[in-house]
Amino acid sequence: GLKNGGRLRKMTRKNFYKIDEFEAIASHLRFIPAKKILARPTFEVREAFTIEDKVNNQFSFPQYFSSDGGTISWWARPMFPSAGRFLGAYLCHDTECDRATRSGLYKYREDADKLFYYHLRQCGAAKWRAKIMSFAVKRYGEMLKAKGELK
């Protein structure tokens, strides 16, 4: 059954959820614990599924896609968790960043970074937290571009 008194709304298509429905998204993931102290765990997609944000952008996750959730330094994790209720935002960002890496185009990374703030807010992040996290991922993307890893 659904948690929180049926609050989760399963969409009409199989395996199709809204981004802020953490429990529904997490049910498609396999948790792989970190192998070292202070390392991040990994989340692997058990079966393909699609989520949608509130402006109807769709994000599809193929089977075996993996993510570390939020790529957060160990010292910042108490304030900026690498999973939890923001996992949907992290996964959407990671799929778009994966697309940028595969294509080598920075444009896709910029698009992912722009949506990241919105998705964090949709998942319930406070404005200050979403701004700081969005700033950090944008700077990281700029660093990758400066290194020549993205064009």
Side-chain angles (χ1 to χ4, degrees):
L2 297 176
K3 295 181 181 179
N4 299 329
R7 176 179 69 79
L8 301 178
R9 298 166 318 281
K10 188 170 182 179
M11 303 301 282
T12 55
R13 277 187 261 162
K14 184 181 177 199
N15 302 333
F16 193 90
Y17 301 95
K18 288 288 186 185
I19 192 174
D20 57 350
E21 296 178 346
F22 169 73
E23 293 91 349
I25 293 167
S27 70
H28 292 283
L29 304 174
R30 182 170 72 99
F31 177 78
I32 303 169
K35 295 188 189 311
K36 296 180 182 178
I37 295 175
L38 303 179
R40 291 180 293 275
T42 302
F43 301 91
E44 182 181 85
V45 175
R46 285 191 279 205
E47 59 181 63
F49 70 102
T50 301
I51 58 177
E52 182 177 89
D53 65 16
K54 290 185 178 172
V55 293
N56 301 320
N57 292 312
Q58 293 183 4
F59 300 88
S60 295
F61 301 91
Q63 188 175 18
Y64 305 120
F65 174 80
S66 65
S67 170
D68 66 350
T71 307
I72 312 289
S73 296
W74 66 269
W75 54 268
R77 285 186 205 148
M79 190 177 288
F80 304 101
S82 61
R85 68 179 184 199
F86 307 135
L87 188 58
Y90 297 148
L91 287 172
C92 289
H93 187 260
D94 285 356
T95 57
E96 291 302 299
C97 289
D98 184 55
R99 180 177 161 198
T101 301
R102 282 186 280 118
S103 68
L105 296 175
Y106 186 66
K107 175 192 176 305
Y108 296 130
R109 175 70 195 216
E110 285 179 321
D111 292 345
D113 293 348
K114 287 176 188 172
L115 281 172
F116 187 58
Y117 172 83
Y118 174 76
H119 289 155
L120 286 170
R121 294 288 293 140
Q122 187 177 341
C123 289
K127 285 182 183 179
W128 67 268
R129 186 183 308 252
K131 284 181 181 179
I132 291 170
M133 293 172 82
S134 296
F135 176 80
V137 298
K138 184 178 180 184
R139 293 293 168 247
Y140 183 72
E142 290 170 353
M143 181 190 72
L144 291 176
K145 185 177 180 183
K147 284 180 163 181
E149 293 182 30
L150 296 172
K151 298 174 186 168

